C-alpha cells in the first residue's frame, strides 16, 4: 500500500492526526489492532469519573447530617454501581467507534505494525505500507512492577477495575499519584476498606508545601496513607493478598481482597521495532522528538499522545495529533506550533490542579486557605490550600498549584488568564460574585499585589465581605 501518511494507533491522538492529515489533502491509513475506542472513553477518564460520581453520591448521603439531614450510612449496591459505569462507558465508547466507522473506505486497517525503515511498515496481516510520513500514536499501558506481576487476578489496574462484577471489601492501592488517589478515594466512599502505599514522601507528585499537606490531611480522613514505603505482596491460598511494608521502623502487614497497581503507564513502543526506524532513541528506547513539531529528529516520523509521554492528557493528545497530522501531511515543509499552558487536574475531593509553570526565584507567591473561606464553609467543603504564582517584577500570572473545592474550575479560569498575559491586579479588578468559591482567589491575588506594590484603583474595595472568613 502506498499512502502519504500512515498513523499507528486509533486513540485520541491518532484519530486527530488522521483527521487533520486527510483534511490537508493527504492519503491516510489508520492502523490499529482493535479499534476498541480511546483510552479515555474505554478505560480512563470517562469510566473513572462515572465511578467517582457514585462515590460522591454515597459521600453526600453519609455526610448529610452536617446539614441537619439525617440519612444514615448509605447502602451501596456494588454490582449496580459498576453496571452503571460499564453501561455509560460503553455508550461513550460507541460514540468513538461510530466516528471510526464513518471514516472513508480504505482509511482504516485492523492490524499491528512494525518499522522496516523510516518510511516503511510491515503489518501482521502481510501488508507492506510505504508512506511519505508516519505518525506514532500507539498509546500506553499500565505498568505492573516486578514485585506484583506474578500475583494473578488478585492484581487489578484502572483498566480492569471497571470489569469487576462487585466491589471488593478491601483493596490495597500501590501508587499515590493522581490516578491511584482518585480511585482510592472513590472506592473508600463506596464502602471499601482502602490503604494507599507510595515510596514518595508527597502525594500526587506535588512538592512539599501547604497544598500537598492540605491534600494529605483531607484524604487521610477517608483512607489509609502510607508514604515513604516500599511494599511487597504475597498471594494467599484463599485468593486474597497480603501486603508487607516497613513504616517508621516498624514491620507491618495487611490483607486485602484485591491489590490495585497504579504506578503509572508506559508507552506501547516495544513491538514497533524502532531500531529499524533509523530514529535517535533515548536511554529508555523512546524516540527523541521536538515538542513544537512532534517530529523525531529530521525524519518523516512524528510521535504523539501517550506514546511520547510528554503530556499524557486528553486535550494535549488531541492537540499533538493535530500538529503531527498537519506536519506529516506537509512533510518536509513543517512548522513549530506554540503549545498551550499546562493544565492538569486530579478529581479527588478536594480537587488538585497544576497550572502553568512551577515557581522559581523570580516568582512571587500568593496563598489562600479554604479552611475558613465563606462559601466553602457553607457547603462543608472547606479543605485545601491554593498557591498562585506571578512574576515578581510585573505581577503577571505564571502558574498555580491548587488544592481546594471545585479547583477544576478555578484552574481553567487561571489557565485562560495566564494565556491572556493577565496580571494579578487585572484579575483582582474583575467582578467577583458573593458568596462564591472564586472569591477565595482574591486573598491570593491581594497578597501578590501588596507584596510587589501593584496599584489599587480607587473604585476597588479590598475589605473582606461578610461570611468570607470566620474566627472559629
Amino acid at each position: 500500500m502506498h499512502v502519504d501518511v500512515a498513523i499507528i494507533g486509533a486513540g485520541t491522538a491518532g484519530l486527530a492526526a488522521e483527521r487533520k492529515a486527510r483534511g490537508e489533502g493527504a492519503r491516510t491509513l489508520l492502523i490499529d489492532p482493535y479499534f476498541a475506542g480511546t483510552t479515555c472513553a474505554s478505560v480512563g477518564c470517562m469510566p473513572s469519573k462515572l465511578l467517582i460520581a457514585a462515590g460522591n453520591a454515597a459521600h453526600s448521603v453519609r455526610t448529610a447530617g452536617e446539614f441537619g439531614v439525617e440519612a444514615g450510612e448509605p447502602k451501596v449496591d456494588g454490582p449496580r454501581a459498576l453496571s452503571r459505569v460499564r453501561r455509560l462507558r460503553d455508550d461513550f465508547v460507541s460514540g468513538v467507534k461510530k466516528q471510526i466507522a464513518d471514516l472513508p473506505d480504505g482509511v482504516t486497517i485492523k492490524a499491528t505494525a512494525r518499522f522496516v525503515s523510516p518510511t516503511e511498515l510491515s503489518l501482521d496481516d502481510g501488508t507492506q505500507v510505504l508512506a511519505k510520513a508516519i505518525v506514532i500514536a500507539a498509546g500506553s499501558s499500565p505498568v505492573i512492577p516486578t514485585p506484583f506481576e506474578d500475583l494473578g487476578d488478585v492484581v487489578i489496574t484502572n483498566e480492569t477495575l471497571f470489569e469487576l462484577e462487585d466491589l471488593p471489601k478491601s483493596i490495597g492501592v500501590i501508587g499515590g499519584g493522581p490516578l491511584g488517589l482518585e480511585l482510592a478515594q472513590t472506592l473508600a466512599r463506596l464502602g471499601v476498606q482502602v490503604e494507599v502505599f507510595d515510596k514518595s514522601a508527597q502525594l500526587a507528585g506535588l512538592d512539599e508545601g501547604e497544598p500537598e499537606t492540605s491534600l494529605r490531611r483531607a484524604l487521610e480522613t477517608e483512607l489509609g496513607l502510607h508514604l515513604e514505603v516500599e511494599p511487597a505482596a504475597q498471594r494467599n491460598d484463599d485468593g486474597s493478598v497480603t501486603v508487607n511494608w516497613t513504616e517508621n521502623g516498624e514491620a507491618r502487614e495487611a490483607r486485602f481482597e484485591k491489590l490495585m497497581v497504579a504506578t503509572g503507564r508506559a508507552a506501547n513502543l516495544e513491538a514497533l521495532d524502532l531500531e529499524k526506524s533509523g530514529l535517535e532513541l533515548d536511554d529508555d528506547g523512546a524516540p527523541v522528538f521536538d515538542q513544537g513539531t512532534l517530529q523525531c529528529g529530521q525524519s518523516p516520523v512524528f510521535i504523539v499522545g501517550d506514546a511520547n509521554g510528554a503530556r499524557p492528557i486528553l486535550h494535549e493528545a488531541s492537540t499533538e495529533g493535530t500538529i503531527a497530522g498537519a506536519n506529516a501531511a506537509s512533510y518536509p515543509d513543517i512548522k513549530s506550533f506554540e503549545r498551550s499552558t499546562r493544565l492538569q487536574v486530579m478529581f479527588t475531593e478536594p480537587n488538585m490542579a497544576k497550572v502553568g509553570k512551577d515557581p522559581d526565584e523570580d516568582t512571587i507567591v500568593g496563598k489562600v486557605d479554604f479552611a475558613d473561606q465563606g462559601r466553602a464553609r457553607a457547603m462543608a467543603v472547606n479543605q485545601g490550600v491554593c498557591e498562585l504564582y506571578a512574576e515578581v517584577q510585573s505581577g503577571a500570572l505564571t502558574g498555580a498549584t491548587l488544592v481546594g473545592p471545585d479547583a477544576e474550575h478555578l484552574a481553567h479560569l487561571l489557565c485562560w488568564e495566564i494565556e491572556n498575559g493577565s496580571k494579578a491586579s487585572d484579575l483582582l479588578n474583575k467582578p467577583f460574585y458573593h458568596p462564591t468559591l472564586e472569591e477565595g482567589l482574591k486573598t491570593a491575588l491581594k497578597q501578590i499585589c501588596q507584596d510587589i506594590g501593584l496599584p489599587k484603583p480607587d473604585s476597588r474595595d479590598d475589605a473582606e465581605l461578610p461570611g468570607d472568613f470566620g474566627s472559629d
Side-chain angles (χ1 to χ4, degrees):
M1 298 182 67
H2 292 260
V3 297
D4 295 319
V5 179
I7 303 99
I8 304 172
T12 297
L15 289 170
E18 190 284 325
R19 189 162 48 244
K20 182 63 176 179
R22 180 162 43 87
E24 296 292 319
R27 292 172 300 159
T28 59
L29 182 66
L30 185 62
I31 307 163
D32 192 279
Y34 308 112
F35 290 101
T38 64
T39 295
C40 173
S42 60
V43 296
C45 40
M46 297 313 294
S48 69
K49 301 314 167 288
L50 287 165
L51 194 63
I52 286 171
N56 289 345
H59 184 71
S60 295
V61 173
R62 188 177 293 113
T63 58
E66 168 74 17
F67 304 93
V69 180
E70 297 300 336
E73 182 67 18
K75 180 181 178 182
V76 177
D77 187 329
R80 282 183 62 192
L82 288 166
S83 177
R84 178 181 185 270
V85 169
R86 288 191 292 271
R87 174 168 49 84
L88 293 180
R89 181 272 313 271
D90 292 346
D91 199 35
F92 295 132
V93 170
S94 69
V96 177
K97 289 183 176 179
K98 184 179 184 305
Q99 291 180 27
I100 296 171
D102 289 342
L103 291 173
D105 291 342
V107 166
T108 63
I109 184 168
K110 186 175 286 189
T112 58
R114 59 181 179 82
F115 278 89
V116 177
S117 75
T119 57
E120 184 177 0
L121 299 172
S122 177
L123 308 189
D124 62 350
D125 65 356
T127 303
Q128 300 296 113
V129 178
L130 293 174
K132 293 179 180 177
I134 296 172
V135 178
I136 301 172
S140 64
S141 300
V143 173
I144 307 294
T146 302
F148 312 110
E149 61 185 5
D150 296 325
L151 296 176
D153 61 3
V154 72
V155 170
I156 61 175
T157 69
N158 70 295
E159 295 195 351
T160 56
L161 167 65
F162 311 115
E163 303 306 321
L164 296 178
E165 290 301 316
D166 197 359
L167 294 168
K169 293 181 174 59
S170 59
I171 190 166
V173 177
I174 308 298
L179 180 60
L181 291 176
E182 284 183 357
L183 295 175
Q185 185 186 45
T186 201
L187 288 170
R189 291 185 166 191
L190 290 168
V192 180
Q193 176 202 338
V194 181
E195 306 279 337
V196 176
F197 305 87
D198 197 282
K199 63 182 180 181
S200 173
Q202 284 82 43
L203 290 175
L206 293 174
D207 292 331
E208 183 178 0
E210 292 182 58
E212 192 277 338
T213 299
S214 69
L215 176 66
R216 182 156 26 95
R217 287 175 177 170
L219 292 179
E220 65 188 6
T221 64
E222 300 187 54
L223 45 84
L225 295 176
H226 308 282
L227 301 180
E228 296 184 275
V229 299
E230 296 193 22
Q234 303 84 39
R235 186 185 178 99
N236 302 315
D237 292 339
D238 63 359
S240 65
V241 61
T242 297
V243 175
N244 305 90
W245 73 99
T246 300
E247 190 169 7
N248 298 322
E250 177 185 351
R252 303 179 64 182
E253 73 172 34
R255 179 174 290 206
F256 302 100
E257 189 175 320
K258 292 288 184 181
L259 190 68
M260 184 168 69
V261 178
T263 52
R265 299 176 66 88
N268 297 326
L269 301 177
E270 289 187 3
L272 296 181
D273 284 358
L274 288 176
E275 65 277 4
K276 297 179 182 178
S277 67
L279 301 176
E280 178 187 357
L281 306 180
D282 63 20
D283 293 340
D284 296 321
V288 176
F289 70 100
D290 182 276
Q291 292 201 31
T293 64
L294 285 311
Q295 184 183 21
C296 300
Q298 299 301 312
S299 77
V301 180
F302 303 80
I303 187 166
V304 295
D306 283 8
N308 69 40
R311 298 187 177 195
I313 302 168
L314 182 137
H315 70 273
E316 295 286 5
S318 179
T319 298
E320 289 188 354
T322 303
I323 292 172
N327 280 333
S330 64
Y331 180 84
D333 181 18
I334 66 170
K335 63 180 180 179
S336 183
F337 291 77
E338 184 177 350
R339 300 302 300 272
S340 60
T341 299
R342 176 177 63 165
L343 175 61
Q344 297 172 283
V345 178
M346 180 177 73
F347 293 90
T348 50
E349 294 291 342
N351 296 161
M352 185 279 287
K354 294 284 288 184
V355 181
K357 299 177 182 178
D358 292 327
D360 58 27
E361 64 275 6
D362 297 319
T363 300
I364 186 76
V365 180
K367 297 182 182 180
V368 56
D369 188 336
F370 274 90
D372 211 18
Q373 200 265 340
R375 182 63 185 276
R377 293 181 70 200
M379 297 189 297
V381 291
N382 48 319
Q383 296 174 307
V385 173
C386 296
E387 292 182 346
L388 273 57
Y389 311 130
E391 292 178 356
V392 70
Q393 297 297 326
S394 67
L397 294 170
T398 58
T401 299
L402 310 175
V403 174
D406 283 351
E408 58 174 295
H409 304 301
L410 302 180
H412 278 82
L413 297 175
L414 291 169
C415 183
W416 298 341
E417 293 298 337
I418 290 171
E419 293 216 334
N420 285 337
S422 298
K423 299 179 181 180
S425 55
D426 296 330
L427 267 68
L428 200 55
N429 294 337
K430 294 184 182 296
F432 285 81
Y433 204 86
H434 179 74
T436 60
L437 294 172
E438 284 78 4
E439 283 183 306
L441 297 179
K442 291 173 65 177
T443 301
L445 293 168
K446 284 190 289 187
Q447 182 180 345
I448 291 171
C449 291
Q450 290 168 1
D451 285 352
I452 62 176
L454 289 177
K456 180 177 91 66
D458 292 339
S459 60
R460 192 181 78 211
D461 182 7
D462 282 347
E464 293 174 4
L465 297 175
D468 266 2
F469 295 93
S471 59
D472 59 356

